[in-house]
Amino acid sequence: KNEVEQSPQNLTAQEGEFITINCSYSVGISALHWLQQHPGGGIVSLFMLSSGKKKHGRLIATINIQEKHSSLHITASHPRDSAVYICAVISNFGNEKLTFGTGTRLTIIP
Amino acid sequence: GAGVSQSPRYKVAKRGQDVALRCDPISGHVSLFWYQQALGQGPEFLTYFQNEAQLDKSGLPSDRFFAERPEGSVSTLKIQRTQQEDSAVYLCASSFTQREETQYFGPGTRLLVL
């Protein structure tokens, strides 16, 4: 079993829909990242969380440390939101390396 | 620019050839990471430097993989005697320091071994 699991693997939605992507992890963490990867490979960090909730524009990320679960929400989704969204964690132990989920491929249809 | 840069962006190698991939981190960033991303998969950790010290190389898949960061800035990932299974995107990321700092990713080097 992977240390970081994401669901769904693929998500297709109509423009304007509210999107939720889930991430569950099995290790103790010091931080969790949500990353966005567009075709061609570039990865951009969206959020880094260790507790609670963060909001940036139409993106909201929440984390529940007790339940080892995080969600990424996109409000009023737009075709330009189409990308792969990756959850990654930094373990409490060892160095600052990221352990990644396999990603959620989001496609927003106009 | 001020971001992480990697070169080359694309590399095609014949099986058995040695390759060298370069990463220029953001100036002043202490931590540098190499990750490998196979097609359709999430990235996986290869190795980690703090300044010039390679503190963790547990993710390197074989002794054909070697990484260095001799002056604590630019890093090179070298793959000797490349195999087809080495085909992947190799991502470099850097962060200032501390565990909870954002990691900034380069565009990656896409390696194809024929």
Side-chain angles (χ1 to χ4, degrees), chain A residues 4 17 24 35 81 109:
Chain A
V4 182
E17 285 190 39
S24 297
L35 308 164
D81 297 327
I109 299 171

Coordinates of all heavy atoms in Angstrom, one line a residue, chain A residues 4 17 24 35 81 109:
Chain A
V4 N 0.9 7.4 0.4 CA 0.0 8.5 0.0 C -0.9 8.0 -1.1 O -0.5 7.6 -2.1 CB 0.8 9.7 -0.5 CG1 -0.1 10.9 -0.8 CG2 1.9 10.1 0.6
E17 N -18.3 23.7 -12.2 CA -18.6 22.7 -11.1 C -17.6 22.9 -10.0 O -16.4 23.4 -10.2 CB -18.5 21.3 -11.6 CG -19.7 20.9 -12.5 CD -19.7 19.4 -12.7 OE1 -19.3 18.6 -11.8 OE2 -20.1 19.0 -13.9
S24 N -5.2 10.7 1.3 CA -5.0 10.1 2.5 C -3.6 9.6 2.7 O -3.0 9.2 1.7 CB -6.0 8.9 2.7 OG -7.3 9.3 2.6
L35 N 0.3 20.1 -5.2 CA 1.1 20.5 -6.3 C 0.2 20.4 -7.6 O -0.7 19.5 -7.7 CB 2.3 19.6 -6.5 CG 3.2 19.5 -5.2 CD1 4.2 18.3 -5.4 CD2 4.0 20.7 -5.0
D81 N -8.0 25.1 -15.4 CA -7.7 24.3 -14.2 C -7.3 22.8 -14.6 O -6.8 22.1 -13.7 CB -8.9 24.2 -13.2 CG -9.3 25.6 -12.7 OD1 -8.4 26.5 -12.5 OD2 -10.5 25.8 -12.4
I109 N -14.4 20.5 -18.8 CA -14.9 20.7 -20.2 C -15.7 22.0 -20.3 O -16.5 22.3 -19.4 CB -15.8 19.5 -20.5 CG1 -15.1 18.2 -20.4 CG2 -16.5 19.7 -21.9 CD1 -15.9 17.0 -20.5

